[in-house]
Amino acid sequence: MISHLLSTKNLELNEALEIFDNARKFLEVLDRPTKKVPILKGKLILTVFFEPSTRTRTSFEIAGKTLGADVVNLSVSQSSTKKGETIKDTCLTLNAMKPDCIVIRHSVSKIPDYITNFTSAKIVNAGDGSNEHPSQALLDAFTLIQHFGDLSGKKILILGDVLNSRVARSNVWLLKKFGAKVSLCGPSTLVREEFEKEWDVDVYWDLDEAINDADAIIVLRIQLERAASAWIPSTREYSIFYGLNSKRLVNNNKVLIMHPGPMNRGLEISSEVADSDNALIRKQVTNGLAIRMSIFYHLLGHKVDNIGEHLDKNTEQRGY
Amino acid sequence: MLKAKILNEQEINKILHRLMYEIYENHKDFDKLLLVGLWTRGVFLSRRIAEIFLNEKGIRLDTSELDVTPYRDDLYTKEKIALKTTNLISTRERSIIIVDDVLFTGRTIRGAIEAIFDFGRPKKIELLILIDRGHRELPINANYLGRFVPTSSKEDVNVRLKEIDNVDEVIILE
């Protein structure tokens, strides 16, 4: 059983299914008149975001609070790192506050793995650089399974800035475990030819061809702060070649549309498509709450080892 | 190891009929009555009682299922427990009867009461139990009781129902 949620690459299929099973039960809690169950009463969850985020953090916060935990938010981008503190020191300081779980987002890949060495808390990766964003992938897969029942053989198209996207990576690893046929589409600067071999997926540079027999499309956000500067000539050109609009969907009007948010309407997705009946974008948000509740339950809702025991072991093994 | 068989299929059926008549005697407003079965076997018992009610009196009772796991007081001393369906409707102003198979320490029922209050302020809560095996650790007692079976704490009482165990019986294991 995993003790941290760091990636979907290392997540066993049966663990993902277990998280889904419980998430289905947690959806019910969100519809109650009293939206609270005391599963994590007295547990302390810290959300530590070194990169700005509103929705992911809010989702984790609501999930924790619905389970009765105390959730404290820290915006480290505005405080200690600016003053020169190392990530290790920040982590040891936070650990001294005795959290049971730390939800972390950082612009550098693998930082969540690294800090497991300096804290006895369970670590949840809420996005590390362009590496992984496992909770987003889990909620995407959960939403798809809600609709299709079974993902084996389903063609799931990931459209957009795959190169810089942690959502894309986590989704590729996870969806493949469910037997889905994962395809990527975007300009060749962002969807590299080598992905086809390295990730064992289909790569398309022509959107119409890619959409043709797709069962669902996960539209990625064009990260104006990253991709727009160098990888594409202009957002206008991108929109013409790879923007998803209703004209593109004429031959395949059954395809489901998902987007991790926030959307750039008119750039990677048109308003018409985003607001259509096939768009599951709002459902993703609600499912995100249930999935994150389930993740917390998975990591915290059972017998715990003596606090700090694994810390000594890790430090010895890895020689930090 | 099997020590004794306490009830067979016929006896269980008789007891459920008697308990149904006790409920019928004690209540007037059956629209306000709600049977809440606790996973796992309480759910099946509550469905059976509702069925007997329908057959005997032509009255259709509301039933709901409740998973007490999130309200357990021993969550952190156990391995992870898979959650089950909870589908409680509003409990506001309703007369609730919690239905479970075995009453032991009373801790599960405490959790169930807490859960029910999260769905609205009920008019009252009663408890229906098939087997009371003693050893209470909380001030909780059954309003409708199938049978009192004094046990030692080493023994284990098993209620088996056709719906999941393929047989109707109550046995004591040692």
Side-chain angles (χ1 to χ4, degrees), chain B residues 149-165:
Chain B
V149 181
T151 56
S152 82
S153 46
K154 281 182 210 146
E155 292 166 337
D156 203 8
V157 177
N158 255 350
V159 172
R160 294 179 176 169
L161 298 176
K162 272 189 184 150
E163 288 89 333
I164 44 166
D165 310 303

Side-chain angles (χ1 to χ4, degrees), chain B residues 56-156:
Chain B
E56 298 278 315
K57 297 290 159 201
I59 297 167
R60 198 177 289 276
L61 293 187
D62 286 336
T63 58
S64 283
E65 297 153 19
L66 177 63
D67 180 20
V68 186
T69 309
Y71 297 86
R72 294 181 75 105
D73 58 6
D74 59 354
L75 211 54
Y76 295 119
T77 63
K78 297 196 175 248
E79 298 301 323
K80 190 164 52 231
I81 306 167
L83 300 177
K84 301 204 177 66
T85 317
T86 293
N87 62 2
L88 240 69
I89 50 179
S90 169
T91 55
R92 194 169 153 259
E93 287 303 312
R94 305 211 44 160
S95 291
I96 312 286
I97 300 178
I98 299 171
V99 180
D100 205 3
D101 54 350
V102 179
L103 182 58
F104 184 30
T105 60
R107 289 173 190 266
T108 304
I109 305 304
R110 183 210 65 85
I113 294 171
E114 191 185 338
I116 286 166
F117 273 83
D118 279 351
F119 289 84
R121 182 178 185 270
K123 190 158 166 267
K124 70 169 169 185
I125 300 181
E126 294 176 311
L127 177 61
L128 183 149
I129 290 290
L130 187 63
I131 304 290
D132 179 354
R133 58 166 295 190
H135 303 280
R136 212 80 75 246
E137 290 165 8
L138 292 172
I140 283 170
N141 239 336
N143 304 73
Y144 309 98
L145 178 61
R147 184 166 294 184
F148 179 66
V149 181
T151 56
S152 82
S153 46
K154 281 182 210 146
E155 292 166 337
D156 203 8

Side-chain angles (χ1 to χ4, degrees), chain A residues 73-284:
Chain A
N73 297 321
L74 289 102
S75 289
V76 191
S77 56
Q78 292 142 30
S79 64
S80 37
T81 34
K82 288 261 162 68
K83 297 171 192 160
E85 190 176 54
T86 64
I87 179 84
K88 180 180 169 182
D89 274 327
T90 306
C91 191
L92 288 170
T93 307
L94 294 177
N95 188 54
M97 296 174 191
K98 307 283 178 196
D100 298 284
C101 181
I102 296 177
V103 180
I104 182 169
R105 168 169 289 188
H106 201 283
S107 56
V108 178
S109 297
K110 296 283 182 178
I111 285 283
D113 297 59
Y114 174 68
I115 68 164
T116 56
N117 298 293
F118 310 116
T119 173
S120 48
K122 311 279 185 181
I123 304 296
V124 175
N125 178 3
D128 57 333
S130 55
N131 183 37
E132 286 233 32
H133 191 347
S135 67
Q136 178 70 42
L138 282 166
L139 79 89
D140 286 343
F142 181 69
T143 309
L144 286 166
I145 287 173
Q146 235 177 16
H147 275 260
F148 293 123
D150 182 11
L151 293 189
S152 57
K154 295 283 178 212
K155 180 178 168 184
I156 314 296
L157 175 66
I158 301 175
L159 168 65
D161 178 8
V162 174
L163 180 71
N164 294 298
S165 173
R166 50 197 175 210
V167 176
R169 280 176 185 74
S170 281
N171 259 316
V172 169
W173 316 143
L174 186 64
L175 291 171
K176 275 171 58 184
K177 287 182 185 177
F178 284 99
K181 259 171 61 195
V182 181
S183 309
L184 311 175
C185 180
S188 58
T189 47
L190 297 173
V191 177
R192 299 287 174 84
E193 192 179 359
E194 55 262 32
F195 289 167
E196 194 155 50
K197 246 195 198 144
E198 283 169 20
W199 297 1
D200 186 25
V201 295
D202 297 323
V203 164
Y204 296 88
W205 293 315
D206 179 85
L207 181 55
D208 293 320
E209 198 189 327
I211 289 178
N212 205 8
D213 54 345
D215 293 292
I217 306 175
I218 298 173
V219 186
L220 299 174
R221 183 171 68 96
I222 278 295
Q223 306 186 44
L224 293 167
E225 69 274 22
R226 285 180 209 172
S229 55
W231 303 105
I232 53 176
S234 74
T235 50
R236 202 175 121 81
E237 185 182 313
Y238 180 87
S239 173
I240 292 169
F241 283 98
Y242 296 102
L244 198 62
N245 55 43
S246 47
K247 271 190 213 138
R248 300 269 190 192
L249 298 176
V250 168
N251 292 325
N252 187 355
N253 53 16
K254 286 240 164 59
V255 67
L256 299 176
I257 311 293
M258 310 216 294
H259 192 299
M263 286 185 282
N264 298 309
R265 280 174 188 259
L267 176 48
E268 72 260 6
I269 188 166
S270 74
S271 279
E272 212 180 333
V273 173
D275 301 329
S276 70
D277 290 342
N278 288 352
L280 305 176
I281 298 162
R282 309 293 164 227
K283 194 164 250 172
Q284 282 175 277

